[in-house]
Amino acid sequence: MGRTFIQPSQDMRNFSVRVKLNPVRSMIEGKRILIVEDSIVRGTTIRTRVKKLRELGAREIHMRVSCPAIRFPCFYGIDFSSKGELIAANTPVPDIARFIGLDSLHYLSIPGLLDSVTEKNAHCLACFDGNYPIEPCNHQGKMCLENESKVTG
Ligand code: SF4
């Protein structure tokens, strides 16, 4: 199925989620569920999943995210190039949890992420902290770097 968040329309993302995940009622009903997600971008994909788990009778649904909250756009090729697309850009974590339909939500912190790697200064953290290692140009967003690589590369 690939990654749902890079698909171009919400309808396509919702369809992919439905095809990708087919939860079994007997495994869900009455259970307290902990979901470990690698990231939350828009929040719409996981919201659809959580709604399905509620429909199947989950008693509680909690989520832990194994990266920090994505609050800033990526201009380097990952397909979230505006703040308006990012649920964590302007929404406090408890409100994100409510939007998704969770009983609790916690992200890995930036220090926690850095604790997990050996090279502390060798990583881009721009989508978490807004510090871009290469200044994005302000008129073409990520296309600027892509066009530049076509010219030079
Ligand atoms: S860490 Fe940097 S390159 Fe990776 S998605 Fe975030 S902004 Fe883009």
Side-chain angles (χ1 to χ4, degrees):
M1 287 306 304
R3 303 302 308 268
T4 52
F5 85 91
I6 59 174
Q7 293 182 0
S9 75
Q10 191 56 49
D11 283 348
M12 288 178 71
R13 288 192 287 272
N14 289 343
F15 176 76
S16 295
V17 171
R18 283 201 304 276
V19 173
K20 191 170 166 178
L21 297 163
N22 292 290
V24 177
R25 180 180 291 276
S26 61
M27 301 294 290
I28 304 294
E29 200 162 29
K31 300 278 174 55
R32 299 172 68 221
I33 294 174
L34 173 65
I35 302 171
V36 179
E37 260 292 16
D38 59 356
S39 60
I40 300 175
V41 180
R42 299 173 184 87
T44 46
T45 301
I46 192 63
R47 187 186 198 204
T48 305
R49 283 188 218 168
V50 168
K51 186 166 177 270
K52 184 70 184 171
L53 293 172
R54 294 279 183 205
E55 287 168 5
L56 293 175
R59 186 155 55 92
E60 292 177 23
I61 307 175
H62 304 267
M63 183 174 294
R64 302 296 179 262
V65 185
S66 61
C67 80
I70 298 173
R71 297 196 160 100
F72 299 88
C74 175
F75 299 108
Y76 306 141
I78 303 296
D79 199 12
F80 43 88
S81 56
S82 79
K83 268 189 132 181
E85 296 175 63
L86 304 172
I87 191 168
N90 299 304
T91 309
V93 173
D95 291 349
I96 298 173
R98 262 189 292 281
F99 172 78
I100 295 174
L102 297 166
D103 294 290
S104 75
L105 169 65
H106 293 281
Y107 291 85
L108 182 64
S109 65
I110 293 176
L113 173 65
L114 292 174
D115 272 352
S116 71
V117 296
T118 48
E119 294 292 331
K120 310 293 181 199
N121 299 314
H123 304 283
C124 173
L125 300 172
C127 56
F128 309 133
D129 64 9
N131 295 319
Y132 291 92
I134 299 170
E135 198 60 37
C137 79
N138 58 14
H139 59 286
Q140 287 181 297
K142 74 173 190 140
M143 295 309 294
C144 178
L145 290 174
E146 288 177 358
N147 288 343
E148 195 170 296
S149 72
K150 277 181 200 146
V151 171
T152 59

